[in-house]
Amino acid sequence: MRLTRVFGLVLLLVMGGAMPAAALTLDRPVRRPGVPLTGRGASYDGSRCVIQLAPGAAAQARLARAAFVADAAGFQFRALGIAALDAAAARLGDIRFEPEFRGESPPAPGAEGVDFTSFYVVRLPANVALETALETFRGLRDVAVAAPVPVLRVSLTPNDSLYASEYWLYQASRRDIHAPEAWAVTTGDTSIVVA
């Protein structure tokens, strides 16, 4: 999950701002809770998105957040204390905002750097389409960026520095033991001693 969040942050930073409405068509399928997705490629998580607040809105949310009480699920809030954003979220339904980087402090006034307190994961109710939420948040001046959360396939290739020289595990010609395919099924059991 942490890798997904970091990739979402990189996506937000690369985009640098809200995408125009014409670019709203998502280039990957959306995984919706409880609905099987065909294929094993990259997709978007349909139950959440990430927003980055504009600088003034981020400061306002930090002030308001101190007065809000987190719900039973942890550090999730129904509102951020920004009128237009809170009203839009209320129209969508039972939206929850969760700080993306809990425990971060804003940069010092006049300092360069990313304000990590301006990033929020937006938890969407099951009846709200990801595309609708993105379009809604991108239309608000208090939201600098609204982006989907990509779900990427994790590679089980080991981080062994000698992996490339272990030719029997994987070869481009595929005259090998098909180790990556086996690792996709199981990575073994640490309680079994082989040698």
Side-chain angles (χ1 to χ4, degrees):
M1 181 187 303
R2 185 79 173 146
L3 180 62
T4 303
R5 287 185 174 189
V6 170
F7 185 77
L9 172 63
V10 170
L11 181 65
L12 286 172
L13 292 175
V14 169
M15 289 170 44
M19 295 172 60
L24 189 55
T25 303
L26 298 176
D27 59 345
R28 295 186 176 116
V30 176
R31 287 185 185 269
R32 308 226 185 256
V35 178
L37 183 67
T38 58
R40 297 181 58 153
S43 61
Y44 291 119
D45 184 342
S47 67
R48 60 195 169 131
C49 64
V50 177
I51 62 171
Q52 180 186 11
L53 300 177
Q60 185 178 348
R62 280 192 303 275
L63 289 173
R65 201 169 77 195
F68 293 149
V69 176
D71 68 10
F75 290 94
Q76 294 184 5
F77 304 92
R78 293 180 189 268
L80 292 178
I82 302 166
L85 176 61
D86 293 343
R91 283 192 302 272
L92 289 173
D94 188 22
I95 298 288
R96 303 295 171 102
F97 297 98
E98 177 184 342
E100 174 105 27
F101 302 99
R102 286 188 295 244
E104 286 291 329
S105 299
E112 293 292 321
V114 177
D115 180 2
F116 287 100
T117 66
S118 67
F119 291 89
Y120 288 86
V121 175
V122 181
R123 305 283 176 179
L124 306 172
N127 64 337
V128 174
L130 175 62
E131 298 85 349
T132 302
L134 290 173
E135 186 175 349
T136 299
F137 293 125
R138 288 177 182 170
L140 300 172
R141 68 177 175 83
D142 293 319
V143 176
V145 178
V149 175
V151 178
L152 305 173
R153 192 171 166 176
V154 176
S155 171
L156 293 173
T157 303
N159 61 356
D160 181 352
S161 62
L162 298 175
Y163 176 72
S165 63
E166 297 167 349
Y167 63 89
W168 56 88
L169 296 175
Y170 176 81
Q171 296 176 18
S173 66
R174 296 318 318 252
R175 289 186 291 191
D176 55 41
I177 64 169
H178 296 278
E181 290 85 355
W183 291 326
V185 175
T186 183
T187 56
D189 186 341
T190 58
S191 66
I192 298 173
V193 177
V194 175

